[in-house]
Amino acid sequence: MDDPGLEAELAAHRHDHRHRDVSGGWLRAATFGAMDGLVTTIALVAGVGGGGADREMILLTGLAGVVAGAFSMALGEFASVGTQNDAVDAEAAVERRELARHPRAEQHELAQTFRDLGLSAPTAEAVAREVHADPDLALRVHLSQELGVSLDDRPSPWVAAGSSFAAFVVGGIVPLVTFLLGYSSLALGLAVGGIGLLVAGALTSRFTSRTWWEAALRQLVFGAIAAGATYLVGTLIGVTVG
């Protein structure tokens, strides 16, 4: 390359143009797992605490909920991501058959897609012709343009399941910390859980366009609604049973 200005711009571009890793299925699974762990355990603690349970019963209920919830989340993520990948494979098989049976129609369809994107007709047809010269490339481009999926960037069911499991456990333990340390105060445990929601919400803002305080308050409100509902149920059932 003989253009020093372009070389400098490319170097600056490589330094500035960076994206966070949001592929692989881990981010959604981990975020959902952590939030679900926090909200579920806070709600359980509020419910059994509102019903008059002592520290040992709150701990037993909370830990059982963490274990059950973590496995449920992990298995659910594994099944859902695996099913999604299977669906992509099935659609790839359909597209592969169509490319073999109707290559000219598929090439025309791709050229029309490029024209719709703003390319001139000669350029669109030339690009479509070059793409179709490689059957594997043609398949990948058609899947990307028609379905918005990529055979190379599919999330891993194992990564999604592991991320969800670990995040749920971490999130679920937070509201139980004070009880694990020997404290019996329900209000203190819920306050720590609320702080956990604020921190988790603020962390998720790093991957979105939301401000940290908007994301934090949103998660706190969600947790408060769940805790309030289960506390009310626990109080009513506790009083009735008592």
Side-chain angles (χ1 to χ4, degrees), residues 1-14:
M1 187 180 299
D2 298 325
D3 188 340
L6 178 57
E7 290 182 2
E9 184 175 339
L10 287 172
H13 176 69
R14 285 190 292 268

Side-chain angles (χ1 to χ4, degrees), residues 24-72:
W26 71 270
L27 178 59
R28 179 188 63 84
T31 301
F32 187 37
M35 294 304 177
D36 198 24
L38 277 162
V39 173
T40 298
T41 309
I42 288 172
L44 283 173
V45 168
V48 295
D54 57 17
R55 169 181 166 273
E56 287 73 19
M57 181 58 67
I58 291 175
L59 262 180
L60 174 61
T61 303
L63 290 175
V66 169
V67 173
F71 277 102
S72 177

Side-chain angles (χ1 to χ4, degrees), residues 187-198:
L188 180 60
L190 294 178
V192 171
I195 293 172
L197 285 171
L198 287 172

